[in-house]
Amino acid sequence: MRKKFLLLLAAALASASGWATSLEVGERIEYGDLIFRVISTSENEGEVEVVGFEVPGGEDSLIIPGTVMDGDDTFTVVSIVENAFQGTGLREISIPATVKTIGKDAFAGSWAQYQSGCKIAYGGSMADWCDIDFANGGSNPLQLAYKDVTKITMKNMYENITFAGNHIFEETVDNFNNRFYTFRISDDVKVIKPYAFYCIGASSIEIPGTVEEIGESAFGEIRILGFYSYSQMERVVTFEKGEKPLVLEGKPFSTSRWTNENSGLEYPLVKEEVYYGRELSGTSGLDHLAGIVISPDVDTFGETYQDLGYLESFTVEDSTEPIAFENAPLSGRNTSYDFYLGRDFTGELFVGDQFTTSQIDLTIGGNVMKITRGSLTTSW
């Protein structure tokens, strides 16, 4: 009698806790038009991952719920498996904030059904999105916000991507009625994980000083969008002032390209400028720049570049404190450009006999008292 009572008590407690399921890890649940797989039953609520459509290729609307039901049991959706929606044509995607991992090539080879691109709604904040573990570039669906690289427009990107119901770009209009869209990381983000914004487009990107780390290819294959002009230099990336050096892992901005919205043609980052408002630890992967500006808040500058063949100006803003140059950052440059030094410095900007005084339009400003042989060039 006592044994029977204990069994009944255990059953009652399990029922009261709201969690009792007959499903085991690995079993599948069909819910709506999607298939899910149980990955955990050890907590108060079980967890599942999205496997794919019940009928592959039969749907063009991907609406992933935050939870699914199996009878009276509730499971939280926390993951999308690899290859889940590979090669699928989609017109809209909705991903809940509960999703924490997206597997390799989950959206690789997918495409937007309409010329205006695929609408992508994420239920969480930008900080939540930056915390998702993306396995590779093909796991990130944001690239579907435009039809394809030759049809990319910032208006489509602006209208199609929302986090927690809000647009992630800031729209501005110039005197010629050209629309520009700034992509600013929110101030509550500390770490941008790898591939977080892989292959998106933007007119410019702003990284606030609160960000402490940017992962590999977080902005890889991005398209910087604008209206090509030889008379105007546009600031493409701004690293704002921060209390700590910004840690860069595996060249977060690798293989970035500039796209002309009028023609759809792609170029390297011609006529584009980067502003360094803080020190960096690592290499950004930004190449083909036209302008580099270093703020008075930077004490050490060691960013390295593979190709600075388009460089037109290098500016070190005025400060009473010297700046230390490491890794000879301008060694990839070998033609003429404007050079402004507004503070004393140590170290070398480039190495080898690749510059002469006639190749550098050098302006001394701020607190620079002298330039010694070997500080700027070995050929003076």
Side-chain angles (χ1 to χ4, degrees):
M1 183 69 179
R2 176 180 171 79
K3 183 176 181 181
K4 182 177 181 181
F5 171 77
L6 292 174
L7 289 173
L8 290 173
L9 179 61
L13 289 173
S15 177
S17 70
W19 181 249
T21 181
S22 60
L23 293 178
E24 296 181 356
V25 172
E27 291 195 69
R28 295 193 173 196
I29 299 173
E30 294 181 6
Y31 192 84
D33 56 3
L34 296 170
I35 295 177
F36 301 84
R37 182 164 53 215
V38 178
I39 60 175
S40 172
T41 61
S42 60
E43 301 181 2
N44 290 336
E45 286 187 351
E47 295 180 340
V48 296
E49 58 187 5
V50 187
V51 176
F53 284 120
E54 185 177 359
V55 180
E59 300 288 343
D60 61 4
S61 179
L62 173 59
I63 310 298
I64 300 175
T67 59
V68 298
M69 299 290 296
D70 180 69
D72 294 329
D73 300 331
T74 302
F75 295 83
T76 302
V77 181
V78 298
S79 179
I80 301 173
V81 305
E82 64 179 40
N83 305 319
F85 303 102
Q86 187 178 41
T88 304
L90 297 167
R91 60 182 175 83
E92 63 175 335
I93 299 172
S94 177
I95 298 176
T98 57
V99 170
K100 303 302 180 186
T101 63
I102 302 181
K104 181 180 179 181
D105 293 336
F107 293 94
S110 299
W111 71 94
Q113 288 277 20
Y114 301 122
Q115 193 69 44
S116 59
C118 178
K119 292 190 176 299
I120 301 169
Y122 174 62
S125 65
M126 183 174 292
D128 295 328
W129 182 268
C130 291
D131 195 43
I132 294 177
D133 291 319
F134 295 95
N136 66 348
S139 66
N140 194 323
L142 294 184
Q143 58 192 295
L144 302 182
Y146 49 85
K147 178 70 174 178
D148 56 55
V149 172
T150 61
K151 301 295 190 299
I152 183 172
T153 67
M154 269 310 305
K155 183 175 177 58
N156 290 347
M157 295 289 291
Y158 171 76
E159 293 178 345
N160 288 339
I161 301 176
T162 57
F163 288 174
N166 301 311
H167 295 293
I168 65 173
F169 299 96
E170 178 182 343
E171 182 182 49
T172 57
V173 182
D174 67 9
N175 294 332
F176 301 98
N177 205 33
N178 292 321
R179 296 180 182 273
F180 296 87
Y181 298 88
T182 299
F183 178 47
R184 178 179 174 80
I185 298 297
S186 59
D187 292 337
D188 58 346
V189 174
K190 287 189 175 182
V191 177
I192 304 174
K193 288 191 174 180
Y195 307 104
F197 299 103
Y198 185 86
C199 208
I200 68 164
S203 301
S204 62
I205 299 172
E206 296 178 353
I207 309 294
T210 52
V211 176
E212 299 176 359
E213 180 179 335
I214 305 179
E216 177 184 359
S217 295
F219 296 92
E221 299 282 352
I222 62 169
R223 266 51 184 182
I224 301 299
L225 307 179
F227 303 89
Y228 195 76
S229 170
Y230 281 101
S231 62
Q232 180 182 2
M233 187 179 296
E234 299 171 357
R235 183 160 293 175
V236 58
V237 179
T238 299
F239 298 103
E240 296 180 356
K241 179 182 178 180
E243 295 182 359
K244 301 178 181 179
L246 177 59
V247 177
L248 306 177
E249 301 286 350
K251 297 184 178 182
F253 292 86
S254 61
T255 325
S256 303
R257 289 291 182 267
W258 189 94
T259 300
N260 187 340
E261 284 218 64
N262 291 330
S263 66
L265 297 177
E266 288 196 343
Y267 307 85
L269 294 181
V270 182
K271 305 301 295 184
E272 304 296 347
E273 176 183 273
V274 171
Y275 184 81
Y276 294 90
R278 62 192 297 195
E279 295 175 22
L280 305 182
S281 174
T283 299
S284 67
L286 286 164
D287 288 317
H288 311 295
L289 296 172
I292 297 171
V293 180
I294 303 175
S295 84
D297 299 302
V298 176
D299 296 326
T300 303
F301 186 78
E303 168 81 309
T304 57
Y305 309 91
Q306 302 236 339
D307 183 0
L308 288 177
Y310 296 93
L311 191 65
E312 295 181 7
S313 67
F314 181 84
T315 301
V316 180
E317 294 183 330
D318 294 355
S319 174
T320 58
E321 299 296 326
I323 183 172
F325 293 120
E326 299 177 347
N327 306 319
L330 296 190
S331 291
R333 176 64 183 164
N334 56 15
T335 56
S336 60
Y337 62 104
D338 295 330
F339 193 99
Y340 178 84
L341 279 178
R343 57 200 292 200
D344 290 328
F345 65 93
T346 61
E348 290 188 330
L349 276 168
F350 35 73
V351 295
D353 296 328
Q354 53 184 329
F355 290 88
T356 65
T357 53
S358 63
Q359 290 177 305
I360 301 177
D361 183 6
L362 177 63
T363 301
I364 304 301
N367 299 282
V368 175
M369 302 301 295
K370 63 179 180 178
I371 295 178
T372 60
R373 178 181 174 85
S375 295
L376 286 179
T377 176
T378 58
S379 62
W380 284 7

